[in-house]
Amino acid sequence: MNRDKLRVLVTGGAGFLGSFLCEKLTSQGHSVICVDNFFTGSKENIAHLYGNPYFEVIRHDVTFPLYVEVDRIYNLACPASPVHYQHDPVQTTKTSVHGAINMLGLAKRLNVRILQASTSEVYGDPAVHPQPESYWGNVNPIGPRACYDEGKRCAETLFFDYHRQHRLPIKVIRIFNTYGPRMHPEDGRVVSNFIMQALRGEPITLFGSGEQTRSFCYVDDLIEGMTRFMEVDERHVGPLNLGNPREFTILELAEAVIRLTGAKSRLVHRPLPTDDPKQRRPDIGQARTLLDWQPAIELEEGLTRTISYFERLLSSGVQMSPAR
């Protein structure tokens, strides 16, 4: 088999991250099967790939088995914003757990490498800062965010058990806050919320004091790290943090969005949501050493690109689907 040209399955391929991954893989000459049930994914995200002979789409829910022949599997399928994953929390858990079982079963049958897109949410509201991969986390298993947090934690367990029990070649990454074009404008994430509120001239909503921190990684940097990790030696299975180690307060983000959009929005404060982490920053020492990777795009440049995307959406009157 020519390892330079692979057949790659991307679940959640019509989502924010998945669409950029499909785009990168096809640009490298790989044949990509994009699988999505379009619960949070959008056909608009992948419309520019429809004419590519190396790209195909299957509408499918990963909680059901899938039978295809591929050389690599990227498992990205799962709602990733609180608005979406809390809309149907039982289905969110099923997507993480049943989806992992089905994709691992497929990888086992084919004996191919599979990557799990896990999340920094496995660390919960961390008592260790910044968060290294060795930290086990501080997660509320019965709270309103648990469907996502614990679903992803269980998926990691399944991946490592398949690796130990069946010697399956796995990769597990933990993705920290990522932003960029193709985010859903109504997904409830802080970057899209602030930009849309600023562009509409609405007040910008800060939950809590605004002093809680996040680390924002631009999507291009994240996808580069993800694809590099997939192709490193099989002995390196993870988990591996991917994110931006530079930390910002939510207030600093709001002020940057107001400045870059030229908005006159005022700041309004609301109570902090249940179990919302107070601080979040990755230790990316392993990624630096193993992949020679670290984010290259500064927050201001990434925000400028993202703002331009949302400005085009608003001016075109395009209604992204779904908008829950």
Side-chain angles (χ1 to χ4, degrees):
M1 179 175 57
N2 181 0
R3 287 291 175 184
D4 292 332
K5 305 299 178 187
L6 303 170
R7 296 163 297 174
V8 185
L9 172 64
V10 179
T11 71
F16 163 47
L17 294 181
S19 64
F20 279 96
L21 177 59
C22 289
E23 186 177 273
K24 183 177 182 67
L25 292 170
T26 54
S27 73
Q28 294 172 338
H30 302 305
S31 295
V32 173
I33 300 174
C34 166
V35 168
D36 209 295
N37 68 352
F38 296 102
F39 174 67
T40 58
S42 169
K43 292 178 181 178
E44 291 91 341
N45 286 342
I46 53 173
H48 63 294
L49 296 173
Y50 286 166
N52 190 317
Y54 296 104
F55 180 75
E56 60 182 297
V57 183
I58 300 175
R59 187 177 192 124
H60 180 82
D61 188 326
V62 296
T63 61
F64 298 94
L66 178 68
Y67 301 98
V68 293
E69 304 295 321
V70 294
D71 307 308
R72 295 282 191 275
I73 301 171
Y74 286 85
N75 187 38
L76 275 64
C78 189
S81 72
V83 166
H84 289 145
Y85 65 64
Q86 291 173 356
H87 173 77
D88 189 343
V90 172
Q91 185 62 27
T92 295
T93 303
K94 285 182 177 179
T95 300
S96 286
V97 178
H98 292 185
I101 291 169
N102 287 329
M103 291 305 107
L104 286 163
L106 176 62
K108 178 174 176 284
R109 178 177 72 82
L110 300 173
N111 191 30
V112 300
R113 196 175 297 191
I114 179 170
L115 180 144
Q116 168 68 3
S118 191
T119 172
S120 62
E121 297 296 334
V122 301
Y123 298 122
D125 189 3
V128 172
H129 193 74
Q131 293 81 60
E133 291 88 348
S134 58
Y135 177 51
W136 289 357
N138 176 36
V139 176
N140 177 1
I142 59 171
R145 301 169 68 101
C147 60
Y148 184 68
D149 302 0
E150 295 288 27
K152 289 288 192 177
R153 286 164 69 96
C154 184
E156 287 195 14
T157 300
L158 286 162
F159 267 70
F160 279 90
D161 283 340
Y162 264 77
H163 176 63
R164 285 185 287 259
Q165 185 173 341
H166 302 296
R167 296 186 174 87
L168 187 68
I170 67 164
K171 303 284 182 178
V172 175
I173 61 171
R174 291 174 176 166
I175 300 172
F176 284 69
N177 288 63
T178 303
Y179 71 100
R182 300 183 203 153
M183 297 180 78
H184 195 288
E186 309 297 339
D187 69 2
R189 299 187 203 189
V190 65
V191 172
S192 50
N193 268 4
F194 285 1
I195 292 175
M196 291 301 293
Q197 288 173 335
L199 292 178
R200 289 169 173 161
E202 300 168 352
I204 287 183
T205 307
L206 288 177
F207 292 100
S209 66
E211 294 303 313
Q212 64 270 37
T213 66
R214 295 293 185 271
S215 304
F216 301 102
C217 183
Y218 189 69
V219 60
D220 289 357
D221 287 329
L222 188 283
I223 297 301
E224 177 64 25
M226 183 187 299
T227 53
R228 285 192 195 186
F229 188 48
M230 175 63 104
E231 298 307 323
V232 298
D233 192 295
E234 286 186 357
R235 291 173 297 177
H236 301 290
V237 299
L240 185 80
N241 287 341
L242 290 179
N244 195 323
R246 188 175 177 191
E247 196 171 7
F248 295 88
T249 68
I250 299 302
L251 178 59
E252 287 174 324
L253 175 68
E255 291 170 342
V257 168
I258 290 172
R259 175 169 47 81
L260 292 170
T261 57
K264 304 298 183 185
S265 301
R266 61 187 178 90
L267 303 178
V268 295
H269 292 263
R270 297 285 183 268
L272 203 62
T274 302
D275 297 330
D276 193 55
K278 309 300 186 300
Q279 54 186 6
R280 185 65 61 72
R281 175 162 66 94
D283 178 335
I284 63 166
Q286 287 195 43
R288 283 193 175 109
T289 301
L290 180 62
L291 308 179
D292 189 27
W293 175 90
Q294 64 181 9
I297 298 173
E298 295 292 339
L299 182 63
E300 184 159 327
E301 180 183 351
L303 284 176
T304 299
R305 296 182 190 181
T306 309
I307 289 165
S308 295
Y309 169 77
F310 283 125
E311 285 175 333
R312 290 195 299 273
L313 270 189
L314 287 172
S315 64
S316 67
V318 171
Q319 176 62 52
M320 294 286 288
S321 58
R324 293 182 174 83

